Amino acid sequence: MRQGYPLVIDGQTMGFAKGVVAEGRFAFLSGVTGRGATMGEQAESCWTTIKERAEALGGRLENIVQRMTFVTNVDEWRTEGQAGQRAWLQANCPSLLESPPAGTLIGCVALAQPEYRVEIQVVVALD
């Protein structure tokens, strides 16, 4: 159903695939924001909601084929947000770390509400 193709640069495997080939039906989840004081806490909260929404639509996290992450501060994402995301995925869906989806990180001036620092949108291949 899902086959990822890792992106390797200078011998280092990146945290996103250069592409994913999937077949079947797909769920396109709207962007999810999280709660928390730090970007790391918000990232973890985002993933809890993504899991709930994906499962409610008949999907599973390990079948995420694309992830788009919008952040208000790329440096803060690299130091806090990415660590929070990694910890959550390690505990709840380590296969997304081992075989990550296609991904995009976008730095933006603001999100829908001033307290939001990260928003994550995914596409999930359904079983």
Side-chain angles (χ1 to χ4, degrees), residues 62-93:
E62 55 268 20
N63 286 337
I64 290 175
V65 295
Q66 184 179 38
R67 173 184 63 221
M68 291 162 281
T69 305
F70 303 86
V71 298
T72 56
N73 184 312
V74 173
D75 290 334
E76 187 179 356
W77 172 255
R78 289 187 177 133
T79 58
E80 290 181 26
Q82 202 168 29
Q85 174 176 268
R86 184 173 212 29
W88 193 94
L89 291 173
Q90 187 64 50
N92 295 280
C93 190

Side-chain angles (χ1 to χ4, degrees), residues 9-10 15 20 23 42 44 51 62 65 69 75 82 84 92 95 99 108 110 126:
I9 298 176
D10 296 329
V20 176
E23 60 180 71
Q42 288 189 18
E44 291 184 45
K51 181 179 189 302
E62 55 268 20
V65 295
T69 305
D75 290 334
Q82 202 168 29
N92 295 280
S95 65
S99 178
C108 56
L126 301 176

Side-chain angles (χ1 to χ4, degrees), residues 16-64:
F16 55 92
K18 60 183 166 188
V20 176
V21 175
E23 60 180 71
R25 299 177 314 134
F26 298 88
F28 297 80
L29 277 65
S30 296
V32 173
T33 55
R35 297 176 188 253
T38 69
M39 192 176 279
E41 291 170 353
Q42 288 189 18
E44 291 184 45
S45 177
C46 286
W47 279 102
T48 297
T49 302
I50 289 168
K51 181 179 189 302
E52 291 167 0
R53 290 182 184 178
E55 289 175 353
L57 295 172
R60 295 181 292 135
L61 291 179
E62 55 268 20
N63 286 337
I64 290 175

